[in-house]
Amino acid sequence: MSTKAKTEFQNWIGNIKHENYAPIRDAIIKECGVSRATFASWSRGATSPDLDKRVTIAVIANNYNEEIPFGNMYIDHDEEGNPQVIVR
């Protein structure tokens, strides 16, 4: 029996508190411009968000709990305090 490792997105979304899950899911769907089916596919690990969607998700994640679900990204802030996603 082969077990597939969870994606970074799966790990992060799986640790969202139940009461926060729906608003975060809805924000990701809206801001990324994807369907619920696409979000579900990401959550199952069947597919992964592409880079521009990961950047959007990183900002949403930072606003939620200041954790970035993708190891190759971090958030910096400009002089006005706006989040800037840096990809390593």
Side-chain angles (χ1 to χ4, degrees):
M1 172 195 271
S2 174
T3 57
K4 183 177 162 187
K6 286 189 174 184
T7 66
E8 292 172 306
F9 182 79
Q10 279 181 290
N11 284 329
W12 177 74
I13 202 71
N15 287 317
I16 301 293
K17 292 180 182 176
H18 178 73
E19 63 270 14
N20 297 327
Y21 182 84
I24 290 170
R25 177 199 60 212
D26 294 346
I28 291 171
I29 289 169
K30 179 181 178 191
E31 297 299 319
C32 290
V34 298
S35 67
R36 286 180 77 134
T38 296
F39 179 87
S41 178
W42 295 345
S43 297
R44 286 191 318 272
T47 61
S48 293
D50 58 22
L51 182 58
D52 65 321
K53 305 289 192 269
R54 287 175 182 237
V55 168
T56 301
I57 293 166
V59 172
I60 293 167
N62 184 66
N63 291 338
Y64 165 62
N65 63 0
E66 298 183 353
E67 290 184 17
I68 308 304
F70 308 108
N72 67 334
M73 296 180 178
Y74 68 95
I75 299 282
D76 199 0
H77 292 85
D78 65 17
E79 294 174 359
E80 294 152 4
N82 299 314
Q84 305 294 313
V85 177
I86 310 298
V87 180
R88 302 177 221 197

Coordinates of all heavy atoms in Angstrom, one line a residue:
M1 N 0.9 -1.2 0.0 CA 0.0 0.0 0.0 C 0.9 1.2 0.0 O 1.7 1.4 0.9 CB -0.9 0.0 1.2 CG -1.7 1.3 1.4 SD -2.4 1.5 3.0 CE -4.0 0.7 2.8
S2 N 0.7 2.1 -1.0 CA 1.5 3.3 -1.1 C 0.7 4.5 -0.5 O -0.4 4.6 -0.9 CB 1.8 3.5 -2.6 OG 2.5 4.8 -2.7
T3 N 1.4 5.3 0.3 CA 0.7 6.4 0.8 C 1.5 7.7 0.3 O 2.7 7.7 0.3 CB 0.8 6.5 2.4 OG1 2.1 6.4 2.8 CG2 0.0 5.4 3.0
K4 N 0.7 8.5 -0.3 CA 1.2 9.7 -0.9 C 1.4 10.8 0.2 O 0.6 11.0 1.1 CB 0.2 10.2 -1.9 CG 0.7 11.4 -2.7 CD -0.4 11.8 -3.8 CE -0.2 13.2 -4.2 NZ -1.2 13.6 -5.1
A5 N 2.6 11.5 0.2 CA 2.8 12.5 1.2 C 1.9 13.7 0.9 O 1.5 14.0 -0.2 CB 4.3 13.0 1.0
K6 N 1.4 14.3 2.0 CA 0.5 15.4 1.9 C 1.2 16.6 1.3 O 2.4 16.8 1.6 CB -0.1 15.8 3.2 CG -1.1 14.8 3.7 CD -1.8 15.3 5.0 CE -3.0 14.5 5.3 NZ -3.7 15.0 6.5
T7 N 0.5 17.4 0.5 CA 1.1 18.6 0.0 C 1.1 19.7 1.1 O 0.5 19.6 2.1 CB 0.2 19.1 -1.2 OG1 -1.0 19.6 -0.7 CG2 0.1 18.1 -2.3
E8 N 1.9 20.7 0.8 CA 2.0 21.8 1.8 C 0.6 22.4 2.0 O 0.2 22.8 3.1 CB 2.9 22.9 1.3 CG 4.4 22.5 1.3 CD 5.3 23.4 0.6 OE1 5.0 23.8 -0.5 OE2 6.3 23.8 1.3
F9 N -0.2 22.6 0.9 CA -1.5 23.2 1.0 C -2.4 22.3 1.9 O -3.1 22.7 2.7 CB -2.1 23.4 -0.4 CG -3.5 24.0 -0.3 CD1 -3.6 25.4 -0.1 CD2 -4.6 23.2 -0.4 CE1 -4.9 26.0 0.0 CE2 -5.9 23.8 -0.4 CZ -6.0 25.2 -0.2
Q10 N -2.4 20.9 1.6 CA -3.2 20.0 2.4 C -2.8 20.1 3.9 O -3.7 20.1 4.7 CB -2.9 18.6 2.0 CG -3.6 18.1 0.8 CD -3.3 16.7 0.5 OE1 -2.1 16.4 0.1 NE2 -4.2 15.8 0.7
N11 N -1.6 20.2 4.2 CA -1.1 20.3 5.6 C -1.7 21.5 6.3 O -2.2 21.5 7.4 CB 0.4 20.2 5.8 CG 0.9 18.8 5.6 OD1 0.3 17.9 5.9 ND2 2.1 18.8 5.1
W12 N -1.6 22.7 5.5 CA -2.0 23.9 6.1 C -3.5 24.0 6.2 O -4.1 24.3 7.3 CB -1.5 25.1 5.2 CG -2.0 26.4 5.7 CD1 -1.6 27.1 6.8 CD2 -3.1 27.2 5.1 NE1 -2.3 28.3 6.9 CE2 -3.3 28.3 5.9 CE3 -3.9 27.0 4.0 CZ2 -4.2 29.3 5.7 CZ3 -4.9 28.0 3.7 CH2 -5.0 29.1 4.6
I13 N -4.3 23.6 5.2 CA -5.7 23.8 5.2 C -6.3 22.7 6.2 O -7.3 23.0 6.8 CB -6.3 23.6 3.8 CG1 -7.7 24.2 3.7 CG2 -6.4 22.2 3.3 CD1 -7.8 25.7 3.8
G14 N -5.6 21.6 6.4 CA -6.1 20.6 7.3 C -6.0 21.0 8.8 O -6.6 20.4 9.6
N15 N -5.1 22.0 9.0 CA -5.0 22.5 10.4 C -5.8 23.8 10.7 O -5.6 24.3 11.8 CB -3.5 22.8 10.7 CG -2.7 21.5 10.8 OD1 -3.1 20.6 11.4 ND2 -1.5 21.5 10.2
I16 N -6.6 24.2 9.8 CA -7.5 25.4 10.0 C -8.6 25.0 11.0 O -9.2 23.9 10.9 CB -8.1 25.9 8.7 CG1 -7.1 26.2 7.7 CG2 -9.1 27.0 9.0 CD1 -6.2 27.4 8.0
K17 N -8.8 25.8 12.0 CA -9.9 25.5 13.0 C -11.2 25.4 12.2 O -11.5 26.2 11.3 CB -10.0 26.6 14.0 CG -8.8 26.7 14.9 CD -8.9 27.8 15.9 CE -7.7 27.9 16.8 NZ -7.8 29.0 17.7
H18 N -12.0 24.5 12.7 CA -13.3 24.3 12.0 C -14.1 25.5 11.8 O -14.7 25.8 10.7 CB -14.2 23.3 12.9 CG -15.5 23.0 12.3 ND1 -15.7 22.2 11.2 CD2 -16.7 23.4 12.7 CE1 -17.0 22.2 10.9 NE2 -17.6 22.9 11.8
E19 N -14.2 26.4 12.8 CA -15.0 27.6 12.6 C -14.4 28.6 11.6 O -15.1 29.5 11.2 CB -15.2 28.3 14.0 CG -14.0 28.8 14.7 CD -13.3 27.8 15.6 OE1 -13.7 26.6 15.5 OE2 -12.5 28.2 16.4
N20 N -13.2 28.5 11.3 CA -12.5 29.4 10.4 C -12.4 28.8 8.9 O -12.1 29.5 8.0 CB -11.1 29.8 10.8 CG -11.2 30.5 12.1 OD1 -12.1 31.3 12.4 ND2 -10.2 30.3 13.0
Y21 N -12.7 27.5 8.8 CA -12.5 26.8 7.5 C -13.3 27.4 6.4 O -12.8 27.8 5.4 CB -12.8 25.3 7.7 CG -12.5 24.6 6.4 CD1 -11.3 24.1 6.1 CD2 -13.6 24.3 5.5 CE1 -11.0 23.4 4.9 CE2 -13.4 23.6 4.3 CZ -12.1 23.2 4.0 OH -11.9 22.5 2.9
A22 N -14.6 27.6 6.6 CA -15.5 28.0 5.5 C -15.1 29.5 5.1 O -15.1 29.7 3.8 CB -17.0 28.0 5.9
P23 N -14.9 30.4 6.0 CA -14.5 31.7 5.5 C -13.2 31.8 4.7 O -13.0 32.5 3.7 CB -14.4 32.6 6.7 CG -15.1 31.8 7.8 CD -15.1 30.4 7.4
I24 N -12.2 30.9 5.2 CA -10.9 30.9 4.5 C -11.1 30.2 3.1 O -10.6 30.7 2.1 CB -9.9 30.2 5.4 CG1 -9.6 31.1 6.6 CG2 -8.6 29.9 4.6 CD1 -8.7 30.5 7.6
R25 N -11.8 29.1 3.1 CA -12.1 28.4 1.8 C -12.8 29.4 0.9 O -12.3 29.5 -0.3 CB -13.0 27.2 2.1 CG -13.4 26.5 0.8 CD -14.7 25.7 0.9 NE -15.8 26.5 1.3 CZ -16.8 26.1 2.1 NH1 -16.8 24.9 2.6 NH2 -17.8 27.0 2.4
D26 N -13.8 30.1 1.3 CA -14.5 31.1 0.5 C -13.6 32.2 0.0 O -13.7 32.6 -1.2 CB -15.7 31.6 1.2 CG -16.8 30.5 1.4 OD1 -16.7 29.4 0.8 OD2 -17.7 30.8 2.2
A27 N -12.7 32.7 0.8 CA -11.8 33.7 0.4 C -10.8 33.2 -0.6 O -10.5 33.9 -1.6 CB -11.0 34.2 1.7
I28 N -10.3 32.0 -0.4 CA -9.4 31.4 -1.4 C -10.1 31.2 -2.8 O -9.5 31.6 -3.8 CB -8.8 30.1 -0.9 CG1 -7.8 30.4 0.3 CG2 -8.1 29.3 -2.0 CD1 -7.4 29.1 1.0
I29 N -11.3 30.7 -2.7 CA -12.0 30.5 -4.0 C -12.3 31.8 -4.7 O -12.0 31.9 -5.9 CB -13.4 29.8 -3.7 CG1 -13.1 28.3 -3.3 CG2 -14.3 29.9 -4.9 CD1 -14.3 27.6 -2.8
K30 N -12.7 32.8 -3.9 CA -13.0 34.1 -4.5 C -11.7 34.8 -5.1 O -11.7 35.3 -6.2 CB -13.7 35.0 -3.5 CG -14.0 36.4 -4.1 CD -14.7 37.3 -3.0 CE -14.9 38.7 -3.6 NZ -15.3 39.6 -2.6
E31 N -10.7 34.9 -4.2 CA -9.5 35.7 -4.6 C -8.7 35.0 -5.7 O -8.0 35.6 -6.4 CB -8.6 35.9 -3.3 CG -9.3 36.8 -2.3 CD -9.6 38.2 -2.8 OE1 -8.8 38.8 -3.5 OE2 -10.7 38.6 -2.5
C32 N -8.7 33.6 -5.7 CA -8.0 32.9 -6.7 C -8.8 32.7 -8.0 O -8.3 32.3 -9.0 CB -7.6 31.5 -6.2 SG -6.3 31.6 -4.9
G33 N -10.1 33.0 -7.9 CA -11.0 32.8 -9.1 C -11.1 31.4 -9.5 O -11.1 31.1 -10.7
V34 N -11.3 30.5 -8.5 CA -11.4 29.1 -8.9 C -12.7 28.5 -8.4 O -13.4 29.2 -7.6 CB -10.2 28.2 -8.3 CG1 -8.9 28.7 -8.8 CG2 -10.2 28.3 -6.8
S35 N -13.1 27.4 -8.8 CA -14.3 26.7 -8.4 C -14.1 26.0 -7.1 O -13.0 25.7 -6.7 CB -14.8 25.8 -9.5 OG -13.9 24.7 -9.6
R36 N -15.2 25.6 -6.5 CA -15.1 24.8 -5.3 C -14.5 23.4 -5.6 O -13.8 22.8 -4.8 CB -16.5 24.6 -4.7 CG -17.0 25.8 -4.0 CD -18.4 25.6 -3.4 NE -18.3 24.8 -2.2 CZ -18.9 25.1 -1.0 NH1 -19.7 26.1 -1.0 NH2 -18.7 24.3 0.0
A37 N -14.8 22.9 -6.8 CA -14.2 21.6 -7.3 C -12.6 21.8 -7.3 O -11.9 20.8 -6.9 CB -14.7 21.2 -8.6
T38 N -12.1 22.9 -7.8 CA -10.7 23.1 -7.9 C -10.1 23.1 -6.5 O -9.1 22.5 -6.1 CB -10.3 24.3 -8.7 OG1 -10.8 24.2 -10.0 CG2 -8.8 24.6 -8.6
F39 N -10.8 23.9 -5.6 CA -10.3 24.0 -4.2 C -10.3 22.6 -3.6 O -9.4 22.2 -2.9 CB -11.3 24.9 -3.4 CG -10.9 25.0 -2.0 CD1 -9.9 25.9 -1.5 CD2 -11.4 24.2 -1.0 CE1 -9.5 26.0 -0.2 CE2 -11.1 24.2 0.3 CZ -10.1 25.1 0.7
A40 N -11.4 21.8 -3.8 CA -11.4 20.4 -3.3 C -10.3 19.6 -3.8 O -9.7 18.8 -3.1 CB -12.8 19.8 -3.6
S41 N -10.0 19.8 -5.1 CA -8.9 19.0 -5.7 C -7.5 19.4 -5.0 O -6.7 18.5 -4.7 CB -8.8 19.3 -7.1 OG -7.7 18.6 -7.7
W42 N -7.3 20.6 -4.7 CA -6.1 21.1 -4.0 C -6.1 20.5 -2.6 O -5.1 20.0 -2.1 CB -6.1 22.6 -3.8 CG -5.9 23.4 -5.1 CD1 -5.5 22.9 -6.3 CD2 -6.1 24.8 -5.3 NE1 -5.5 23.9 -7.2 CE2 -5.8 25.1 -6.6 CE3 -6.5 25.8 -4.4 CZ2 -5.9 26.3 -7.1 CZ3 -6.6 27.1 -4.9 CH2 -6.3 27.3 -6.3
S43 N -7.3 20.5 -1.9 CA -7.4 20.0 -0.5 C -7.1 18.5 -0.4 O -6.6 18.0 0.6 CB -8.8 20.3 0.0 OG -9.0 21.7 0.1
R44 N -7.5 17.8 -1.5 CA -7.3 16.3 -1.5 C -5.8 16.0 -1.9 O -5.4 14.8 -1.8 CB -8.2 15.6 -2.5 CG -9.6 15.5 -2.2 CD -10.4 14.6 -3.1 NE -10.1 14.8 -4.5 CZ -10.7 15.7 -5.3 NH1 -11.6 16.4 -4.9 NH2 -10.3 15.8 -6.6
G45 N -5.1 17.0 -2.5 CA -3.8 16.7 -3.0 C -3.7 16.1 -4.4 O -2.7 15.7 -4.9
A46 N -4.9 16.1 -5.1 CA -4.9 15.6 -6.4 C -4.2 16.6 -7.4 O -3.6 16.1 -8.4 CB -6.4 15.4 -6.9
T47 N -4.4 17.9 -7.1 CA -3.7 18.9 -7.9 C -3.1 19.9 -6.9 O -3.5 19.9 -5.7 CB -4.6 19.6 -8.9 OG1 -5.7 20.2 -8.2 CG2 -5.2 18.6 -9.9
S48 N -2.3 20.8 -7.4 CA -1.7 21.9 -6.6 C -2.0 23.2 -7.2 O -2.0 23.3 -8.5 CB -0.2 21.7 -6.4 OG 0.0 20.5 -5.6
P49 N -2.1 24.3 -6.4 CA -2.3 25.6 -7.0 C -1.0 26.0 -7.8 O 0.1 25.7 -7.3 CB -2.5 26.5 -5.8 CG -2.4 25.7 -4.6 CD -2.2 24.3 -5.0
D50 N -1.1 26.7 -8.9 CA 0.0 27.2 -9.6 C 0.6 28.4 -8.8 O 0.1 28.8 -7.8 CB -0.3 27.5 -11.0 CG -1.4 28.6 -11.2 OD1 -1.7 29.3 -10.3 OD2 -2.0 28.6 -12.3
L51 N 1.7 28.9 -9.3 CA 2.5 30.0 -8.5 C 1.6 31.2 -8.2 O 1.6 31.7 -7.0 CB 3.7 30.4 -9.3 CG 4.6 31.4 -8.5 CD1 5.0 30.9 -7.2 CD2 5.8 31.8 -9.4
D52 N 0.9 31.7 -9.2 CA 0.1 33.0 -8.9 C -1.0 32.7 -7.8 O -1.2 33.5 -7.0 CB -0.4 33.6 -10.1 CG -1.5 32.8 -10.8 OD1 -1.3 31.5 -10.9 OD2 -2.4 33.3 -11.4
K53 N -1.6 31.5 -7.8 CA -2.6 31.2 -6.8 C -1.9 30.9 -5.5 O -2.5 31.3 -4.4 CB -3.3 29.9 -7.2 CG -4.0 29.9 -8.6 CD -5.1 30.8 -8.7 CE -6.0 30.7 -9.9 NZ -5.6 31.5 -11.0
R54 N -0.7 30.4 -5.5 CA 0.0 30.2 -4.2 C 0.3 31.6 -3.6 O 0.3 31.7 -2.3 CB 1.3 29.4 -4.4 CG 1.1 28.0 -4.7 CD 2.4 27.3 -5.0 NE 2.2 25.9 -5.4 CZ 2.8 24.9 -4.7 NH1 3.7 25.2 -3.8 NH2 2.5 23.7 -5.0
V55 N 0.7 32.5 -4.4 CA 1.0 33.9 -3.8 C -0.3 34.4 -3.2 O -0.3 34.9 -2.1 CB 1.5 34.8 -4.9 CG1 1.5 36.3 -4.5 CG2 2.9 34.4 -5.4
T56 N -1.4 34.3 -3.8 CA -2.7 34.8 -3.3 C -3.0 34.0 -2.0 O -3.4 34.6 -1.0 CB -3.8 34.6 -4.3 OG1 -3.5 35.3 -5.5 CG2 -5.2 35.0 -3.8
I57 N -2.9 32.7 -2.0 CA -3.1 31.9 -0.8 C -2.2 32.3 0.3 O -2.6 32.4 1.5 CB -3.0 30.4 -1.1 CG1 -4.2 30.0 -2.1 CG2 -3.0 29.6 0.2 CD1 -4.0 28.6 -2.7
A58 N -0.9 32.6 0.0 CA 0.0 33.0 1.0 C -0.4 34.3 1.8 O -0.3 34.4 3.0 CB 1.4 33.2 0.4
V59 N -1.0 35.3 1.0 CA -1.5 36.5 1.6 C -2.7 36.2 2.5 O -2.8 36.7 3.6 CB -1.9 37.5 0.5 CG1 -2.6 38.7 1.1 CG2 -0.6 38.0 -0.2
I60 N -3.6 35.4 2.0 CA -4.8 35.0 2.8 C -4.3 34.2 4.1 O -4.8 34.5 5.2 CB -5.8 34.1 2.0 CG1 -6.4 34.9 0.8 CG2 -6.9 33.5 2.9 CD1 -7.1 34.1 -0.2
A61 N -3.4 33.3 3.9 CA -2.9 32.6 5.1 C -2.2 33.5 6.1 O -2.4 33.4 7.3 CB -1.9 31.5 4.6
N62 N -1.5 34.5 5.6 CA -0.8 35.4 6.5 C -1.8 36.3 7.3 O -1.7 36.5 8.5 CB 0.1 36.3 5.7 CG 0.9 37.3 6.6 OD1 1.7 36.8 7.4 ND2 0.6 38.5 6.5
N63 N -2.9 36.6 6.6 CA -3.9 37.4 7.3 C -4.7 36.6 8.3 O -5.1 37.1 9.3 CB -4.9 37.9 6.3 CG -4.4 39.0 5.4 OD1 -3.4 39.7 5.8 ND2 -4.9 39.2 4.2
Y64 N -4.7 35.2 8.1 CA -5.4 34.4 9.0 C -4.6 34.1 10.3 O -5.0 34.3 11.4 CB -5.8 33.1 8.3 CG -6.2 32.0 9.3 CD1 -7.3 32.1 10.1 CD2 -5.5 30.8 9.4 CE1 -7.7 31.1 11.0 CE2 -5.9 29.8 10.2 CZ -7.0 30.0 11.1 OH -7.3 29.0 12.0
N65 N -3.4 33.5 10.0 CA -2.6 33.1 11.2 C -1.1 33.3 11.1 O -0.4 32.8 11.8 CB -2.9 31.6 11.5 CG -2.4 30.7 10.4 OD1 -1.9 31.1 9.4 ND2 -2.6 29.4 10.6
E66 N -0.8 34.1 10.1 CA 0.6 34.5 9.9 C 1.5 33.3 9.6 O 2.7 33.4 9.7 CB 1.2 35.3 11.1 CG 0.4 36.6 11.2 CD 1.0 37.5 12.3 OE1 1.9 37.1 13.1 OE2 0.5 38.6 12.4
E67 N 0.9 32.2 9.1 CA 1.7 31.1 8.7 C 1.5 31.0 7.2 O 0.4 31.2 6.6 CB 1.2 29.8 9.3 CG 1.5 29.7 10.8 CD 1.0 28.3 11.3 OE1 0.8 27.4 10.5 OE2 0.9 28.2 12.5
I68 N 2.6 30.8 6.5 CA 2.6 30.6 5.0 C 2.7 29.1 4.7 O 3.6 28.4 5.2 CB 3.8 31.3 4.4 CG1 3.9 32.8 4.9 CG2 3.7 31.3 2.9 CD1 2.7 33.6 4.7
P69 N 1.7 28.6 4.0 CA 1.7 27.2 3.7 C 2.8 26.7 2.8 O 2.9 25.5 2.6 CB 0.3 26.9 3.1 CG -0.2 28.3 2.6 CD 0.5 29.3 3.4
F70 N 3.5 27.5 2.1 CA 4.5 27.1 1.1 C 5.9 27.5 1.6 O 6.2 28.6 1.8 CB 4.1 27.8 -0.2 CG 2.7 27.5 -0.6 CD1 1.8 28.6 -0.6 CD2 2.2 26.3 -1.0 CE1 0.5 28.4 -1.0 CE2 0.9 26.1 -1.3 CZ 0.0 27.1 -1.3
G71 N 6.7 26.5 1.7 CA 8.0 26.6 2.2 C 9.0 27.6 1.5 O 9.9 28.1 2.0
N72 N 8.7 27.8 0.2 CA 9.5 28.7 -0.6 C 9.1 30.1 -0.7 O 9.5 30.9 -1.5 CB 9.7 28.1 -2.0 CG 8.4 28.2 -2.8 OD1 7.3 28.2 -2.2 ND2 8.5 28.3 -4.1
M73 N 8.2 30.5 0.3 CA 7.7 31.8 0.3 C 7.7 32.4 1.7 O 7.7 31.7 2.7 CB 6.2 31.9 -0.2 CG 6.0 31.5 -1.6 SD 4.2 31.6 -1.9 CE 4.3 31.1 -3.7
Y74 N 7.8 33.7 1.8 CA 7.6 34.4 3.0 C 7.0 35.8 2.8 O 7.0 36.2 1.6 CB 8.9 34.5 3.8 CG 10.0 35.4 3.3 CD1 10.1 36.7 3.7 CD2 10.9 34.9 2.3 CE1 11.1 37.5 3.1 CE2 11.9 35.7 1.8 CZ 12.0 37.0 2.2 OH 13.0 37.8 1.7
I75 N 6.5 36.4 3.8 CA 5.8 37.7 3.7 C 6.7 38.7 4.3 O 7.3 38.6 5.4 CB 4.5 37.7 4.4 CG1 3.5 36.6 3.9 CG2 3.9 39.1 4.4 CD1 2.9 37.0 2.6
D76 N 6.9 39.8 3.5 CA 7.5 41.0 4.0 C 6.5 42.1 3.9 O 5.4 41.9 3.2 CB 8.8 41.3 3.1 CG 9.7 42.3 3.8 OD1 9.5 42.7 5.0 OD2 10.8 42.6 3.2
H77 N 6.7 43.2 4.4 CA 5.7 44.3 4.3 C 6.4 45.6 3.8 O 7.6 45.8 4.1 CB 5.1 44.6 5.7 CG 4.2 43.5 6.2 ND1 4.7 42.4 6.8 CD2 2.9 43.3 6.0 CE1 3.7 41.6 7.1 NE2 2.6 42.1 6.6
D78 N 5.7 46.3 2.9 CA 6.3 47.5 2.3 C 6.2 48.6 3.4 O 5.7 48.4 4.5 CB 5.6 47.9 1.0 CG 4.1 48.2 1.2 OD1 3.6 48.5 2.3 OD2 3.4 48.2 0.1
E79 N 6.6 49.8 3.0 CA 6.6 50.9 4.0 C 5.2 51.3 4.5 O 5.1 51.8 5.6 CB 7.2 52.1 3.3 CG 8.7 52.0 3.0 CD 9.3 53.1 2.2 OE1 8.5 54.1 1.8 OE2 10.5 53.0 1.9
E80 N 4.2 50.9 3.8 CA 2.8 51.2 4.2 C 2.2 50.1 5.0 O 1.0 50.1 5.3 CB 2.0 51.6 3.0 CG 2.4 53.0 2.4 CD 2.1 53.1 0.9 OE1 1.5 52.2 0.4 OE2 2.6 54.1 0.4
G81 N 3.0 49.0 5.2 CA 2.4 47.8 5.9 C 1.7 46.8 5.0 O 1.1 45.9 5.6
N82 N 1.7 47.0 3.7 CA 1.1 46.0 2.8 C 1.9 44.8 2.7 O 3.1 44.9 2.5 CB 0.8 46.7 1.5 CG -0.1 47.9 1.6 OD1 -1.1 47.8 2.2 ND2 0.3 49.0 0.9
P83 N 1.3 43.6 2.7 CA 2.1 42.4 2.6 C 2.6 42.2 1.2 O 2.0 42.5 0.2 CB 1.1 41.3 2.9 CG -0.3 41.9 2.6 CD -0.1 43.3 2.8
Q84 N 3.9 41.8 1.1 CA 4.6 41.5 -0.1 C 5.1 40.0 0.0 O 5.8 39.7 0.9 CB 5.7 42.4 -0.4 CG 5.4 43.9 -0.3 CD 4.5 44.3 -1.5 OE1 4.8 44.0 -2.6 NE2 3.5 45.0 -1.2
V85 N 4.7 39.2 -1.0 CA 5.1 37.8 -0.9 C 6.4 37.7 -1.7 O 6.5 38.1 -2.8 CB 4.0 36.9 -1.6 CG1 4.5 35.4 -1.6 CG2 2.7 37.0 -0.9
I86 N 7.4 37.1 -1.0 CA 8.7 36.9 -1.6 C 8.8 35.4 -1.8 O 8.6 34.6 -0.9 CB 9.8 37.4 -0.6 CG1 9.6 38.8 -0.1 CG2 11.2 37.2 -1.2 CD1 9.5 39.9 -1.1
V87 N 9.2 35.1 -3.1 CA 9.4 33.7 -3.5 C 10.9 33.4 -3.5 O 11.6 34.2 -4.2 CB 8.8 33.4 -4.8 CG1 9.0 31.9 -5.2 CG2 7.3 33.7 -4.8
R88 N 11.4 32.4 -2.8 CA 12.8 32.1 -2.8 C 13.2 31.3 -3.9 O 12.5 30.5 -4.4 CB 13.2 31.4 -1.5 CG 12.9 32.2 -0.3 CD 13.2 31.4 0.9 NE 12.1 31.6 1.9 CZ 12.2 31.3 3.1 NH1 13.2 30.8 3.6 NH2 11.2 31.6 3.9

